[in-house]
């Protein structure tokens, strides 16, 4: 098969794959329907303060796995749904930010700066249209960069990196994530090492399950989805419970007057394009780096837009350019942060973690450089899945262009759901989602244990993302270590033999040292991302 | 960042825990050491990655301790955990415990009290997929959890929140159980 044959096979896997049902004799593709379902759920969830894309992906995953099973046929419907959620939540987050000055997702915080003043001036509709236009433009741009860059990067990694270099590359990624997420790189590194350590419990190559303390409950290892959901979701829920209990107040929402003309004209769109273009480029570059999330991209996009802006209404006073600069930047992160996932197998953010978990749970698709093997004599099914995934992403973008704005406008009501009512329901939902996966009550013990760990990490200002990414990558890292060591003939300096792995290790140390320097300013945007 | 005093305590705790793990737990609870020779081939053993991880934690904690001791006193003064933390989490833990116990036992107890009687005893395992038994534990435990936590956070009990909690549990049953034959709600998979 040639390159174009693979692309075509991926497209056909989505549009001519299994049909969900028939309408007037025409089969409605299941993957397309899943993307649509995920997209709508994502917008609704994104528009609900307290929920976010990762929350929804986390609770959807066990249901999806139970529904579609663990065969390779399940890959595209499950991943398509999760992609839909990710994209929907990105645009949905701006709804409560604009209407009620409450960001639905952390990266929409800067949207409140101009969105809410516009809503107060009666221009809520125009603000929502601006957010949607900027968001979907940035997202589409970012996806196009992903489609072109990820295969090339993967081919280069596969061609030039051996076992030792791959191990060094994983270390570099972990060091980078640990250094940039949170205010203290050393705490990030401790979190990453803790993730590696916990992942080793009950695993290994020997007949005895290491670190299991001789118990049955630990000898089969720590359930991955439960651990990730515990640290990321339950930890956040416990933290939010305590915060709400301390404050014990409900945000009151007051109605706003509405102006008649809410359209976003072509002239308006033309005026916004430079801001969208610059922010989309910033968001794409930021998104391609593991660990740096959409909140930082939004901050940089906003500040760059502010410098570019020469209009009558200043940034922060309710100008559409401010919304466009923020939304284009934070939305363009979502596509680009799949570049390290698909080309290196390294999740760069929480959303990508759930994509990797889905792929690992189902099997038959191992995100990493091996995916992009353009074999001509025999079909590489993983490559077909990858291009199917790209097709699903483009499908989500098309849906976003066509109906995203209307769904956003309808979701304003979600911001009125009180958090103190919503989060206990999310707690039960998360526990149920964990249980249906394992069907064993002891999984609650793991869930609570990791929930407490996640809560403790938030209270003590340890970033959770390095822990989760290290936990997921531990198996790959250990395998790479063992293989590199065996290939080197038992050389203890196997990691330092190749110039490329030396470069990776030097950069790892450099990144940690650079971000540990006392002159590093504390970035509120990064802290907000870590809190997400 | 927390206050310097808190950061120092965190670093010290991490150092002690990591050293105990690296020197006691890992060597005693792994079958093969970090490096071992088998049939004249040198291999990485199962103890390697946990040992590297624990050592990494210790080294990073030492560096964090040194950096913390050098830095200016932080602006954030409040302790991360205080009396209010306990005031919230004690009743919260009680609610979760009662909810989980209700979830686990309510179904079997209800079956024993009100289940069909006859010559052959009916076990909960036989009835775990049958209406209404399969919903009793989840319904009661789930309601207690949602309503209890909401009431704890709000500091009051209200009928509207009780209704919301019931509707939420009903909605979750509709999402998880009704459309899928293969999914078992908690705790039915345990029986």
């Amino acid at each position: 098969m040639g390159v174009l044959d693979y692309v075509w096979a991926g497209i056909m896997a989505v549009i001519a794959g299994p049909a969900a049902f028939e309408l007037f004799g025409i089969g409605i593709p299941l993957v397309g329907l899943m993307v649509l379902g995920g997209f709508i759920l994502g917008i609704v969830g994104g528009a609900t303060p307290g929920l976010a894309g990762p929350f929804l992906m986390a609770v959807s995953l066990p249901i999806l796995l139970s529904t579609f099973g663990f065969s390779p046929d399940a890959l595209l419907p499950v991943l398509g749904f999760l992609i839909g959620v990710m994209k929907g939540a990105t645009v949905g987050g701006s709804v409560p930010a604009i209407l009620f000055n409450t960001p639905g997702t952390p990266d929409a915080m800067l949207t409140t700066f101009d969105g809410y003043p516009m809503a107060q001036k009666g221009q809520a509709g125009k603000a929502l249209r601006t957010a949607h236009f900027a968001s979907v433009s940035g997202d589409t741009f970012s996806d196009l960069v992903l489609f072109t860059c990820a295969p090339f990067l993967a081919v280069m990694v596969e061609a030039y990196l051996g076992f030792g270099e791959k191990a060094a590359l994983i270390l570099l990624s972990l060091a980078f994530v640990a250094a940039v997420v949170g205010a203290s790189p050393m705490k990030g590194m401790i979190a990453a090492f803790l993730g590696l350590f916990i992942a080793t419990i009950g695993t290994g190559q020997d007949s005895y399950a290491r670190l299991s303390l001789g118990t049955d409950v630990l000898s089969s290892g720590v359930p991955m989805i439960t651990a990730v959901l515990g640290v990321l979701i339950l930890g956040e829920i416990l933290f939010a419970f305590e915060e709400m209990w301390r404050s014990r107040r409900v945000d009151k929402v007051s109605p706003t007057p509405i102006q008649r003309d809410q359209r976003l004209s072509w002239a308006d769109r033309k005026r916004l394009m430079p801001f969208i273009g610059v922010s989309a480029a910033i968001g794409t570059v930021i998104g391609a780096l593991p660990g740096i999330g959409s909140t930082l991209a939004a901050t940089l996009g906003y500040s760059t837009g502010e410098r570019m802006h020469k209009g009558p209404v200043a940034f922060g006073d309710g100008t559409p350019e401010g919304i466009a600069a923020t939304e284009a930047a934070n939305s363009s992160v979502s596509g680009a942060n799949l570049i390290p996932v698909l080309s290196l197998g390294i999740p760069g953010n929480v959303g990508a973690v759930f994509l990797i978990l889905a792929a690992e749970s189902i099997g038959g698709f191992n995100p990493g450089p091996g995916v992009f093997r353009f074999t001509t004599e025999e079909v590489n099914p993983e490559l077909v899945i990858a291009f199917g995934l790209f097709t699903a992403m483009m499908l989500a973008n098309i849906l976003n262009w066509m109906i995203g704005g209307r769904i956003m406008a309808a979701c304003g009501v979600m911001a009125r759901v009180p958090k103190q009512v919503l989060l206990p329901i999310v707690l039960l939902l998360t526990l149920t989602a964990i249980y249906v996966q394992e069907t064993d009550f002891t999984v609650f013990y793991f869930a609570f244990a990791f929930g407490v760990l996640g809560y403790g990490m938030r209270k003590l200002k340890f970033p959770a993302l390095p822990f989760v990414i290290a936990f997921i990558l531990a198996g790959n890292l250990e395998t790479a270590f063992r293989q590199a060591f065996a290939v080197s003939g038992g050389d203890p300096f196997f990691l330092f033999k190749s110039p490329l792995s030396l470069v990776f290790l030097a950069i790892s140390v450099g990144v940690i040292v650079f971000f540990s320097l006392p002159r590093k300013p504390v970035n509120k945007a990064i802290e907000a991302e870590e809190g997400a | 960042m927390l206050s310097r005093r808190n950061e120092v305590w965190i670093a010290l705790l991490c150092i002690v825990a990591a050293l105990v793990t690296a020197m006691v737990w890992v060597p005693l609870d792994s079958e093969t050491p970090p490096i071992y020779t088998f049939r004249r081939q040198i291999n990485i053993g199962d103890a390697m990655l946990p040992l590297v991880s624990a050592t990494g934690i210790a080294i990073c904690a030492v560096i964090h301790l040194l950096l913390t001791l050098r830095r200016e006193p932080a602006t954030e003064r409040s302790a991360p955990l205080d009396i209010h933390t306990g005031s919230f989490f004690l009743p919260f833990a009680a609610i979760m415990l009662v909810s989980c116990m209700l979830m686990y036992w309510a179904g079997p107890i209800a079956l024993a009290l009100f289940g069909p009687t006859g010559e052959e005893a009916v076990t909960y395992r036989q009835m775990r997929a049958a209406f209404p038994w399969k919903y009793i534990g989840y319904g009661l435990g789930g309601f207690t959890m949602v309503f209890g936590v909401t009431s704890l956070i709000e500091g009051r009990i209200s009928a509207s929140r009780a209704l919301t909690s019931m509707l939420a549990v009903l909605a979750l049953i509709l999402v998880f159980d009704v459309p899928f034959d293969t999914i078992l709600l908690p705790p039915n998979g345990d029986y």
Side-chain angles (χ1 to χ4, degrees):
Chain A
M1 280 178 86
V3 175
L4 290 178
D5 295 322
Y6 274 112
V7 175
W8 184 244
I11 294 171
M12 293 310 285
V14 172
I15 59 174
F21 57 87
E22 287 198 349
L23 199 65
F24 307 117
I26 301 168
I28 303 298
L30 177 64
V31 180
L33 209 64
M34 294 303 291
V35 172
L36 174 66
F39 179 67
I40 294 172
L41 180 70
I43 295 184
V44 174
T48 311
L51 291 182
F55 259 115
L56 298 168
M57 293 169 88
V59 294
S60 306
L61 183 56
I63 303 176
L64 292 168
L65 293 177
S66 301
T67 308
F68 290 99
F70 297 90
S71 71
D73 292 342
L75 278 166
L76 277 177
V78 171
L79 293 176
F81 188 89
L82 296 177
I83 290 281
V85 170
M86 203 163 82
K87 288 184 176 294
T90 306
V91 291
S94 62
V95 175
I98 290 168
L99 297 183
F100 307 112
N101 205 23
T102 309
T105 49
D107 55 17
M109 188 181 71
L110 281 92
T111 308
T112 60
F113 291 0
D114 288 283
Y116 188 61
M118 278 185 77
Q120 282 182 313
K121 289 184 221 168
Q123 297 176 326
K126 189 170 184 174
L128 283 175
R129 284 186 175 88
T130 304
H132 175 251
F133 177 63
S135 180
V136 73
S137 302
D139 197 3
T140 308
F141 172 79
S142 171
D143 285 353
L144 293 174
V145 173
L146 163 72
F147 302 161
T148 46
C149 286
F152 287 109
L153 189 58
V155 168
M156 281 174 63
V157 167
E158 197 64 355
Y160 295 109
L161 302 193
F163 294 122
E165 287 93 347
K166 282 179 185 168
L169 186 61
I170 294 176
L171 287 178
L172 169 60
S173 306
L174 285 178
F176 195 82
V177 173
V180 299
V181 178
S184 163
M186 280 307 131
K187 284 175 127 177
M189 288 299 294
I190 292 172
F193 279 122
L194 184 65
L196 284 180
F197 180 80
I198 291 181
T200 63
I201 293 174
T203 57
Q205 291 188 339
D206 300 333
S207 55
Y208 175 75
R210 66 183 164 192
L211 308 179
S212 61
L213 299 168
T215 59
D216 288 338
V217 71
L218 289 179
S219 61
S220 47
V222 176
M224 185 181 276
I225 293 181
T226 307
V228 173
L229 261 62
V231 169
L232 288 180
I233 308 297
L234 293 180
E236 180 62 31
I237 289 174
L238 293 180
F239 186 77
F241 279 165
E242 192 196 351
E243 292 296 304
M244 283 188 289
W245 185 78
R246 282 174 188 266
S247 60
R248 282 199 178 179
R249 61 184 166 83
V250 184
D251 294 332
K252 294 278 187 282
V253 176
S254 54
T256 49
I258 298 169
Q259 281 185 6
R260 278 198 171 180
D261 185 16
Q262 301 285 343
R263 286 174 302 171
L264 191 66
S265 65
W266 285 109
D268 289 334
R269 289 171 201 262
K270 198 177 161 189
R271 203 178 66 243
L272 295 174
M273 278 317 286
F275 295 90
I276 292 173
V278 170
S279 285
I282 290 171
T284 303
V285 172
I286 295 285
L289 300 171
I292 307 184
S294 48
T295 311
L296 178 64
T299 310
L300 290 179
Y302 189 84
S303 56
T304 309
E306 195 171 14
R307 279 197 289 275
M308 289 167 59
H309 185 56
K310 292 182 176 62
V313 183
F315 266 47
D317 291 341
T319 178
E321 286 86 346
I323 299 174
T326 307
E327 285 297 315
N330 68 26
S331 298
S332 56
V333 169
S334 72
N337 62 32
L338 294 186
I339 293 175
V341 176
L342 290 176
S343 56
L344 308 174
I346 295 165
N349 68 357
V350 181
V353 163
F354 289 108
L355 290 178
I356 292 238
L357 277 184
E360 285 204 355
S361 303
I362 295 170
F365 182 66
N366 300 304
V371 167
F372 291 95
R373 241 183 248 126
F374 287 88
T375 49
T376 49
E377 289 175 4
E378 56 181 22
V379 178
N380 176 4
E382 288 189 296
L383 191 50
V384 176
I385 296 288
F387 283 116
L389 202 60
F390 291 166
T391 309
M393 293 177 79
M394 283 319 287
L395 190 61
N397 285 335
I398 292 167
L399 288 170
N400 205 348
W401 279 106
M402 288 168 59
I403 58 170
R406 290 184 190 283
I407 303 173
M408 272 173 77
C411 285
V413 68
M414 294 307 295
R416 295 174 191 271
V417 180
K419 256 176 118 173
Q420 71 272 23
V421 174
L422 184 71
L423 283 187
I425 299 171
V426 174
L427 171 67
L428 180 62
L429 174 63
T430 309
L431 290 175
T432 311
I434 288 172
Y435 184 87
V436 299
Q437 181 75 16
E438 304 281 339
T439 58
D440 187 347
F441 222 71
T442 52
V443 81
F444 279 8
Y445 306 144
F446 278 107
F448 290 134
F450 280 96
V452 170
L453 177 67
Y455 166 82
M457 290 175 83
R458 279 163 182 80
K459 290 296 279 187
L460 301 179
K461 311 273 185 196
F462 280 91
L465 191 59
F467 172 88
V468 170
I469 292 179
F471 183 79
I472 289 174
L473 291 179
N476 290 345
L477 182 66
E478 188 168 28
T479 305
F481 269 155
R482 286 184 195 267
Q483 287 171 333
F485 188 73
V487 167
S488 71
D491 183 352
F493 297 103
F494 67 97
L495 263 184
F496 306 96
K497 285 180 85 174
S498 136
L500 208 52
S501 64
L502 269 176
V503 169
F504 288 150
L505 293 173
I507 297 173
S508 308
V509 175
V511 165
I512 296 287
V513 171
F514 177 77
F515 282 97
S516 297
L517 292 176
R519 61 188 158 81
K520 179 202 163 193
V522 175
N523 191 318
K524 287 181 181 173
I526 293 178
E527 280 195 339
E529 176 70 8
E530 179 259 321
Chain B
M1 295 283 273
L2 304 169
S3 68
R4 191 160 65 177
R5 180 189 159 92
N6 285 324
E7 293 289 353
V8 167
W9 276 111
I10 289 170
L12 288 174
L13 199 68
C14 286
I15 292 167
V16 172
L19 289 179
V20 170
T21 302
M23 291 193 285
V24 182
W25 186 11
V26 175
L28 293 181
D29 209 15
S30 305
E31 193 173 316
T32 46
I35 304 283
Y36 69 101
T37 307
F38 181 68
R39 290 179 181 163
R40 288 192 296 174
Q41 192 176 353
I42 306 169
N43 295 299
I44 287 182
D46 266 6
M48 177 60 99
L49 190 56
L51 190 68
V52 168
S53 311
T55 312
I57 291 174
I59 292 171
C60 292
V62 169
I63 298 172
H64 183 64
L65 178 67
L66 296 175
L67 290 174
T68 304
L69 291 173
R70 282 189 59 192
R71 84 166 206 232
E72 295 294 317
T75 49
E76 187 175 342
R77 288 288 180 186
S78 60
L81 304 171
D82 55 23
I83 188 75
H84 296 295
T85 309
S87 310
F88 171 73
F89 278 106
L90 276 177
F92 175 78
I95 291 169
M96 294 304 291
L97 188 67
V98 171
S99 308
C100 288
M101 284 173 68
L102 273 174
M103 198 178 277
Y104 195 83
W105 290 110
I109 290 172
L111 183 71
L113 292 175
F114 310 109
T117 52
E119 290 183 1
E120 285 191 26
V122 180
T123 64
Y124 187 77
R125 183 176 177 79
Q126 289 170 299
M127 305 301 281
R128 67 177 184 171
F131 178 84
W133 313 108
K134 64 175 176 175
Y135 296 134
I136 290 175
Y138 185 75
L140 276 175
F143 170 78
T144 310
M145 190 183 294
V146 176
F147 180 60
V149 175
T150 308
S151 305
L152 174 66
I153 293 170
E154 291 190 328
R156 63 191 170 91
I157 290 174
S158 74
S160 64
R161 294 296 184 240
L163 184 66
T164 313
S165 305
M166 272 190 264
L167 290 175
V169 175
L170 191 66
L172 291 181
I173 288 172
L174 287 174
V175 168
F176 281 98
D177 188 72
V178 174
F180 308 113
D181 292 333
T182 52
I183 288 181
L184 287 170
L185 287 171
N188 298 332
D190 285 75
Y191 290 97

